[in-house]
Amino acid sequence: MPFSAVSRQFLTAALAHLAAAGAVLLLGSGAGALTVRWDFLVWLLLVGFVGFTTAGFALHLFPTISRRPQPPRWVGQAAFLLAEGGLVIGAVGLSVATSPPLPGWVFSLGALLFLGGEGAVVGLFARDLIEPRLLTQGPETRSGDAVTVPLFLVSWASAVGSGGLFVLSGFAEGPGFGWWLAAVHLFVLGHAVLLITAVSLRLVPRSLDADVSRPTVYLLASLGIVGAILVPVGMLGTSPSSAADLAVWAVPEAAFAILFVSVLIVLVIRARTPRAEVGLHLTSLTLFLIGGSIGLWMISESNYTPVVAHALVSVLGFVGITILFMWFGMIAPFQRISHAWTRRMLWALSATWIVGVVAVATEGAEGWSGAGWLSSLSGALLLGATIVWGAGTTPVLYPALNPLPGLTSEEIRVIRDRWKDR
């Protein structure tokens, strides 16, 4: 099924926001966002890249998964405009470029617009579920299908809840660890992780032609939902002075992460059609375990020095790499050249991405001044990968580009002939 105009807008904007985040990393302390307000970088990555990507793919996948017709375009268009406006205003509110700093309500206004965009997406899904199911023949049922739609809905409810917490964070610090950190964790664990789980349970068993038992699927989904709720609730209800108590609230999420890795390993072992790309999935889940372990160590020791490593290993490492290989699986960038190029670029960009994550995590592990060369290296790698990624993606999303920007059909043919045997 071709991507709708609104999905294409969300996905294209996601890459633009990722490039902006790469530029911030590349500039290091010169941008100011890595020292005084590194939450500016988190906002770009979490809301601008992850949030726009999940919206673009969810609007594309949900009608098929729920067996419902496509939603009206105007509501999706309104969601995109609200989200983009909210991202920009929120980024301005967090920026250190203004002197004196802007009042907190400016960021809250941006977060409110973003919340409106997320609410519009949820409204589209709710409207879809009211519509009668399509009677066309669907794909063969798998055990993971039973939890796909519930996970989608909880994921987007978490996005709305996170947006509300972001709005509050502009006005007050909040109880416990504060509204901001609770919002970030609800967005990552409740929105991104649950959506990744839903898509993984839907697509990976079909890709590998393997299954796990339905009780295992139910347990994984339940632990994911409970953990996504308890961690931000625990952050609001636990004082930083007794941070070790937060580890109890994180037990279901830790069990979920371990079970998720185990489920994927079982699927690999049972696979009738093995695929090398599953190695990237395992890599991303390993980074999820590493990021979570850093977080548990911080609260157990009440030492928040590696907080940047914790945040970026989780967001750039786990979520970022997952988005990368799922993006290539659903869009196949560079297919206007050849599918062989798609495979090559997936592995080349994944290797570049992983090196960038290692570089930024290494510098963040001992506390981050934002001035080190590793952050600039990671920014250069991220920015370069994004530019190449976008160059391969845009012509696929917009087929009217004929056939690739700056290349004629004859030049494309020469490239194919040159690389077909390599």
Side-chain angles (χ1 to χ4, degrees):
M1 183 176 67
F3 283 85
S4 68
V6 175
S7 287
R8 294 198 300 267
Q9 291 172 5
F10 269 111
L11 294 173
T12 305
L15 290 180
H17 304 150
L18 181 61
V24 169
L25 275 172
L26 177 61
L27 293 174
S29 60
L34 302 181
T35 50
V36 182
R37 296 296 297 270
W38 72 278
D39 45 5
F40 173 79
L41 177 63
V42 173
W43 179 255
L44 284 178
L45 286 173
L46 199 59
V47 172
F49 171 54
V50 177
F52 276 64
T53 301
T54 56
F57 279 128
L59 289 171
H60 176 67
L61 291 173
F62 190 78
T64 301
I65 291 173
S66 63
R67 306 283 303 282
R68 296 316 198 275
Q70 285 286 337
R73 176 179 174 178
W74 70 268
V75 182
Q77 190 68 67
F80 172 76
L81 294 175
L82 285 169
E84 184 65 30
L87 174 82
V88 173
I89 294 175
V92 170
L94 293 175
S95 174
V96 296
T98 56
S99 182
L102 295 175
W105 65 261
V106 175
F107 171 74
S108 291
L109 174 61
L112 183 62
L113 291 175
F114 173 71
L115 173 60
E118 299 294 276
V121 174
V122 172
L124 282 175
F125 295 156
R127 179 190 180 279
D128 261 9
L129 292 176
I130 295 174
E131 297 289 326
R133 288 171 60 91
L134 298 177
L135 300 179
T136 54
Q137 183 67 33
E140 178 188 359
T141 302
R142 298 279 184 172
S143 58
D145 295 355
V147 298
T148 302
V149 172
L151 284 173
F152 254 85
L153 296 178
V154 176
S155 167
W156 284 95
S158 298
V160 171
S162 176
L165 294 175
F166 276 127
V167 172
L168 293 174
S169 72
F171 293 110
E173 183 176 341
F177 285 81
W179 301 122
W180 170 268
L181 286 179
V184 168
H185 283 80
L186 182 58
F187 196 88
V188 173
L189 302 179
H191 178 57
V193 172
L194 291 185
L195 200 57
I196 287 170
T197 306
V199 174
S200 297
L201 291 175
R202 180 81 180 188
L203 300 183
V204 174
R206 288 178 166 83
S207 174
L208 299 179
D209 193 15
D211 266 311
V212 292
S213 66
R214 184 158 291 192
T216 301
V217 168
Y218 288 147
L219 178 60
L220 181 66
S222 300
L223 286 173
I225 292 171
V226 172
I229 294 172
L230 289 185
V231 170
V233 168
M235 298 194 81
L236 293 174
T238 303
S239 170
S241 61
S242 57
D245 296 341
L246 185 57
V248 177
W249 295 84
V251 168
E253 188 65 28
F256 161 80
I258 294 170
L259 181 59
F260 200 172
V261 174
S262 303
V263 165
L264 188 57
I265 291 173
V266 170
L267 288 173
V268 170
I269 294 172
R270 296 178 178 177
R272 297 184 184 89
T273 55
R275 299 184 185 278
E277 290 81 359
V278 76
L280 293 175
H281 205 160
L282 283 170
T283 300
S284 70
L285 284 173
T286 300
L287 290 171
F288 183 37
L289 289 174
I290 293 172
S293 299
I294 295 172
L296 289 175
W297 180 87
M298 287 192 304
I299 60 176
S300 64
E301 299 293 328
S302 294
N303 182 349
Y304 304 103
T305 301
V307 63
V308 174
H310 163 67
L312 295 184
V313 166
S314 300
V315 177
L316 267 182
F318 165 57
V319 181
I321 292 175
T322 303
I323 287 175
L324 179 62
F325 71 77
M326 286 189 174
W327 187 298
F328 270 70
M330 286 186 270
I331 294 180
F334 300 97
Q335 63 175 293
R336 298 292 290 274
I337 299 177
S338 72
H339 288 293
W341 260 71
T342 296
R343 290 190 294 271
R344 291 190 190 98
M345 294 310 299
L346 169 61
W347 290 104
L349 292 179
S350 298
T352 302
W353 194 285
I354 291 169
V355 171
V357 171
V358 171
V360 79
T362 300
E363 184 158 323
E366 297 297 331
W368 197 4
S369 65
W373 66 272
L374 284 175
S375 63
S376 297
L377 172 63
S378 63
L381 293 173
L382 181 62
L383 181 58
T386 305
I387 292 172
V388 174
W389 185 354
T393 294
T394 306
V396 179
L397 290 177
Y398 298 92
L401 294 174
N402 187 22
L404 282 174
L407 294 175
T408 64
S409 298
E410 182 60 33
E411 289 170 330
I412 293 294
R413 192 174 299 111
V414 170
I415 293 174
R416 286 176 179 157
D417 292 341
R418 182 183 303 159
W419 287 90
K420 66 180 180 181
D421 297 325
R422 301 186 187 181

